[in-house]
Amino acid sequence: MYIEQAFKVLHEWWRYFIGLFIVILAVIAGQIPFAAAVFMKSYETGEDLQGLDNSTVMSLLEPNLNLFLMLLSFAVGLVALLFVAKFLHKQTVVQLTTARSKIDWKRFWFSFFLWGIISSGFIWFDYFMSPEDYVLNFKLVPFIILLLIVVIFIPLQTSFEEYLFRGYLMQGIGLVAKNRWVPLLVTSLAFGLLHIANPEVDKLGYSIMIFYIGTGLFLGIMTLMDDGMELSLGFHAANNFFAALLVSADWTALQTHSVLKDISEPSKDMLTEMVLPVFLVFPILLLIMSKKYGWKNWKDKLFGSILEPERETIKSIGNNDENTTNL
């Protein structure tokens, strides 16, 4: 089982507390370049940052620079998280990723392309149904720069969020709670709250949190049912990857040199379109994956108890198994 993987490494509760504190400090440090760039730009233009909403603050910088600096903090956070796993917990990337003996990249790519095709299809369908809501935003040179940033940094950003919520915290909270449903709910709520400062919340209201929390719940269910994060890693990477390249808007977190730009005003219909996948599309995807990977015993995997193996001892960790000290 995936959560039980943590019993193979140093797993006292205080290690997770210290580890999370280190990761948070790293993310804050990673945000310094973005904050400095925004303050410098506001000083040059005479813009008063007080009272500005998040989307306006983001629009102060050139889109590619804004995206790069925004994603930089997640890259720093990922490095810190892997550092914590290796040196504080003596945990390998494989143990943090999956209960399998090695990372199953076929699962990652299946999820990536499945959601990439579906999400891109939704975007193009809406474009052809409501072309008046979009303008062609494609510019070759800025788009090529965007593509480079997206290819390198979007996977780092989404992997950080997955390794933090569906990985590190899922395992740590699971060991403390001694069950699976508490870490599933807590990490889903925390994942949603991570996005509460997004510009979309300002425009669509707190109801949009249904989408973020629901997505966290969907990714958490995939992780627990599949005994690994490969599917959630692929889904999350595809979601942000194709969104950043295909469509952007002035009121979203991803303001990029995308192919299309949504110029419509945020509305209740738009909120419905964003929330609908939580109740319709995500359950269908879970059904597809359950059939493909033979998921069974849903009740135990999502609500069952976490039991420590009887012969597992902390003293033996890292002394005789060299694999526990290698990333």
Side-chain angles (χ1 to χ4, degrees):
M1 295 294 184
Y2 176 67
I3 292 179
E4 282 85 345
Q5 282 286 91
F7 284 123
K8 299 178 181 179
V9 303
L10 302 177
H11 57 273
E12 295 93 341
W13 69 267
W14 58 266
R15 294 181 186 272
Y16 289 94
F17 181 82
I18 294 175
L20 181 60
F21 181 72
I22 293 173
V23 171
I24 291 174
L25 287 181
V27 172
I28 293 174
Q31 292 174 342
I32 293 176
F34 176 81
V38 169
F39 279 115
M40 289 177 62
K41 189 64 177 180
S42 65
Y43 179 78
E44 292 176 3
T45 60
E47 188 80 47
D48 186 3
L49 294 177
Q50 292 185 351
L52 295 182
D53 57 29
N54 292 331
S55 59
T56 303
V57 171
M58 290 181 176
S59 67
L60 292 176
L61 302 178
E62 191 275 332
N64 280 334
L65 177 61
N66 175 74
L67 182 64
F68 167 72
L69 293 177
M70 184 176 68
L71 296 178
L72 183 62
S73 64
F74 295 95
V76 174
L78 179 60
V79 172
L81 183 56
L82 296 179
F83 175 88
V84 164
K86 180 176 182 179
F87 294 102
L88 189 58
H89 297 274
K90 304 300 181 183
Q91 185 175 33
T92 68
V93 171
V94 173
Q95 290 170 328
L96 188 60
T97 305
T98 181
R100 287 169 277 275
S101 59
K102 60 181 180 179
I103 298 174
D104 187 346
W105 290 106
K106 290 183 179 179
R107 276 174 155 84
F108 172 89
W109 289 115
F110 171 77
S111 181
F112 181 89
F113 285 115
L114 176 64
W115 185 241
I117 292 170
I118 293 173
S119 61
S120 299
F122 285 150
I123 292 172
W124 289 114
F125 176 79
D126 192 58
Y127 170 70
F128 287 115
M129 292 298 295
S130 306
E132 69 279 3
D133 290 340
Y134 297 88
V135 294
L136 188 63
N137 192 49
F138 180 78
K139 297 176 183 177
L140 181 59
V141 175
F143 183 81
I144 291 176
I145 298 173
L146 168 65
L147 182 61
L148 291 173
I149 295 173
V150 166
V151 168
I152 297 172
F153 284 95
I154 286 293
L156 298 178
Q157 178 246 326
T158 57
S159 294
F160 167 70
E161 293 184 8
E162 290 307 303
Y163 275 110
L164 178 61
F165 292 103
R166 257 66 62 182
Y168 192 70
L169 292 179
M170 182 77 80
Q171 290 183 340
I173 296 173
L175 297 189
V176 174
K178 303 298 183 183
N179 60 50
R180 292 175 170 80
W181 66 268
V182 168
L184 176 60
L185 292 181
V186 171
T187 57
S188 299
L189 288 170
F191 179 76
L193 292 175
L194 176 71
H195 298 82
I196 200 169
N198 281 17
E200 294 93 325
V201 179
D202 291 334
K203 297 297 182 181
L204 296 175
Y206 288 106
S207 296
I208 192 61
M209 296 303 293
I210 296 173
F211 170 75
Y212 293 121
I213 295 174
T215 300
L217 188 62
F218 164 69
L219 294 171
I221 291 173
M222 276 200 302
T223 299
L224 292 179
M225 291 304 304
D226 200 51
D227 280 331
M229 288 170 45
E230 293 97 333
L231 294 175
S232 66
L233 284 167
F235 177 94
H236 202 162
N239 186 76
N240 291 20
F241 183 91
F242 289 101
L245 292 177
L246 294 181
V247 64
S248 65
D250 290 338
W251 50 272
T252 63
L254 291 176
Q255 299 181 23
T256 67
H257 288 292
S258 54
V259 176
L260 300 173
K261 185 174 183 179
D262 188 340
I263 59 173
S264 62
E265 287 296 319
S267 64
K268 291 184 178 180
D269 291 338
M270 189 174 295
L271 175 62
T272 301
E273 292 174 1
M274 294 186 70
V275 173
L276 185 62
V278 174
F279 301 102
L280 180 62
V281 181
F282 290 173
I284 294 175
L285 289 176
L286 288 175
L287 179 61
I288 292 173
M289 292 177 181
S290 70
K291 297 297 182 182
K292 180 175 176 61
Y293 297 112
W295 294 348
K296 297 178 181 179
N297 199 12
W298 289 66
K299 181 179 179 181
D300 184 61
K301 284 198 170 185
L302 298 181
F303 301 99
S305 300
I306 302 295
L307 301 176
E308 183 173 2
E310 293 181 0
R311 292 183 296 177
E312 196 70 37
T313 60
I314 293 298
K315 185 177 180 180
S316 65
I317 300 301
N319 294 331
N320 301 318
D321 186 359
E322 63 179 2
N323 291 328
T324 60
T325 61
N326 295 325
L327 284 176

